[in-house]
Amino acid sequence: MNQATPLASPKVTVVGSLNVDLVCRARRRPDTGETLIGDAFDIFTGGKGFNQATAAARLGAEVTLIGSVGADLFGDMLLAATENERINNRFVTKRGEVGTGVATIVIEPDGDNSIIVVPRANMALTRADIDAAADEIANANVLLLQLETPVAASAHAAAIAKAHGTTVILNPAPAQPLPDSLLASVDILIPNESETELLSGIKIDNHEDARRAAEVLRGRMVAAPSTAVVLTLGVQGALMLTATESAHVPALTVDAVDTTGAGDAFCGALATTLASGETLRGAVAFANAAGAAAVTVVGATPSMPTREKVMTRDFCELSDLL
Ligand code: RIB
C-alpha cells in the first residue's frame, strides 16, 4: 500500500454535531466548589461530526456534512468553517428556535481533557433532514456517524446507507446504550475504552479484556463477514476484530499537548482510507497515525491532520504505511 498517493476520489458523508469549543488550559481540573485561575483560553470550532468531516476533507475525501446549527454567531462561525474546509454544507440546517451546540473543555498540562457538551441545535436534527440528504448518503462510499445527534436520525441514515451499499461506520461517542435498530445497519463500530466498557459490560484492564469486549460487541452486530469492531485504546493503540482476524496496532509515541479530537482524527482517517478502497488493516494503521498527529496540536478541529502531515516520519510506522 502507498498512502502517499491518494487513491480514487473517496466520498464520505457525515451525520453529526457541530459545536463551538470553549477551551481553558489549567494546571488541573477544579474541585467541587473551587474557583481556579487558568493559564490560557481559546475558542475553536469542534463537535465530533464537524471534526470528523474536517479530518476526512483534509485527508482528501469529498465530504458532505448533515447537521444542525442555531441562527447565531456560533452557527455562522461553523458554517464559514465548513466552507473553508471545502465541506458540502447544503444539509447543515440553521434553526432559529435553538442555539448552536457548545462544549466547555479543560485541558491539563499532560494533554488530557474533560468535556461538557451542551448539544442544543444538534439535537434538533430530524429524520426529514436525513431524507432531504438521502442521495448524499446513497452515493457515498462511507457514511460516518457519532452520538451527538439524535439516535433516531442516525439510525434512519444508516438504514438508507445499508439499502444502497454504502459502508456504515459508527463512532458511539459520547457513550450511551445503542438500540439494535442502529447496530443492525453498522458495518464498522469504533468505540474508545470507556464506550466499549459501557456497551460490552466488560471492564478493560488488558489486551485480552479488550479482545473479549470486541467479540461481545461484534456479536451484537449483523453476523456478516464485513462487520468489524475497531477499539481505540489511547496510549495502548488500537485493536481490530473482524470475522477472520484480530490485530493489535500499537500507539505511536508522540509529545501530547491536547488529546481532544484524537478519536475524531482516527475516525475521519479510517473512513477516508476505507472509502479509497484500502483494506481495513491498512486503514486502521493510517488512522492510528492520524490520531497520533492530532494530539500534538491544541484544539480539536485545528488538530485534524493533512495527508502530508500523517505521512511524515514522526507519525507513520513506515513498515505499515509505505
Ligand atoms: O471529540 C472532541 C469533540 O467532542 C469536541 O470538539 C467537542 O465539541 C465535543 O463534541
Side-chain angles (χ1 to χ4, degrees):
M1 132 182 198
N2 184 356
Q3 284 292 340
T5 310
L7 304 172
S9 172
K11 185 162 169 37
V12 174
T13 293
V14 180
V15 174
S17 59
L18 301 96
N19 295 333
V20 166
D21 292 353
L22 308 175
V23 181
C24 294
R25 275 183 278 164
R27 63 185 189 280
R28 60 176 173 78
R29 299 170 178 91
D31 290 331
T32 307
E34 182 187 26
T35 300
L36 201 64
I37 301 293
D39 301 321
F41 174 74
D42 286 295
I43 298 179
F44 295 119
T45 54
K48 294 182 195 307
F50 179 64
N51 294 336
Q52 295 183 19
T54 299
R58 289 185 187 172
L59 292 168
E62 188 187 326
V63 181
T64 294
L65 176 58
I66 304 168
S68 181
V69 295
D72 52 23
L73 279 177
F74 285 173
D76 291 344
M77 178 178 162
L78 283 156
L79 286 171
T82 54
E83 274 158 27
N84 284 343
E85 300 293 343
R86 287 175 290 109
I87 294 168
N88 174 12
N89 64 11
R90 205 177 131 213
F91 301 100
V92 177
T93 307
K94 216 180 205 190
R95 297 196 141 84
E97 71 280 9
V98 60
T100 299
V102 288
T104 58
I105 302 180
V106 177
I107 303 170
E108 293 177 284
D110 63 0
D112 275 346
N113 64 65
S114 318
I115 306 180
I116 296 178
V117 175
V118 186
R120 302 170 90 205
N122 293 304
M123 279 299 165
L125 193 71
T126 64
R127 285 171 60 104
D129 294 326
I130 300 297
D131 282 334
D135 286 351
E136 297 294 333
I137 297 169
N139 296 328
N141 302 104
V142 169
L143 172 70
L144 184 51
L145 306 167
Q146 319 78 33
L147 296 178
E148 286 184 339
T149 45
V151 170
S154 293
H156 187 48
I160 293 171
K162 198 79 191 154
H164 290 86
T166 300
T167 298
V168 179
I169 299 179
L170 172 65
N171 171 219
Q176 62 173 276
L178 288 179
D180 289 337
S181 59
L182 175 55
L183 268 183
S185 304
V186 172
D187 296 293
I188 301 171
L189 189 67
I190 312 180
N192 69 11
E193 194 170 319
S194 59
E195 291 145 11
T196 301
E197 289 185 349
L198 181 127
L199 292 172
S200 69
I202 293 175
K203 172 100 180 64
I204 298 177
D205 287 322
N206 51 47
H207 285 168
E208 182 47 30
D209 294 340
R211 203 189 49 74
R212 275 193 308 120
E215 269 170 10
V216 168
L217 295 187
R218 193 166 173 277
R220 286 189 60 198
M221 298 164 73
V222 169
S226 60
T227 54
V229 175
V230 179
L231 303 191
T232 57
L233 300 168
V235 293
Q236 298 297 320
L239 182 106
M240 175 191 110
L241 182 81
T242 69
T244 55
E245 199 183 355
S246 163
H248 173 244
V249 182
L252 305 177
T253 306
V254 292
D255 287 330
V257 297
D258 180 6
T259 54
T260 317
D264 297 333
F266 187 102
C267 293
L270 192 130
T272 304
T273 318
L274 267 190
S276 303
E278 188 50 74
T279 61
L280 182 61
R281 178 68 183 78
V284 171
F286 188 77
N288 193 47
V295 304
T296 64
V297 177
V298 173
T301 308
S303 73
M304 298 300 114
T306 60
R307 180 169 297 277
E308 290 68 32
K309 178 158 186 178
V310 178
M311 294 309 296
T312 62
R313 277 180 180 269
D314 289 345
F315 302 113
C316 70
E317 284 181 320
L318 297 177
S319 57
D320 275 331
L321 297 179
L322 293 174

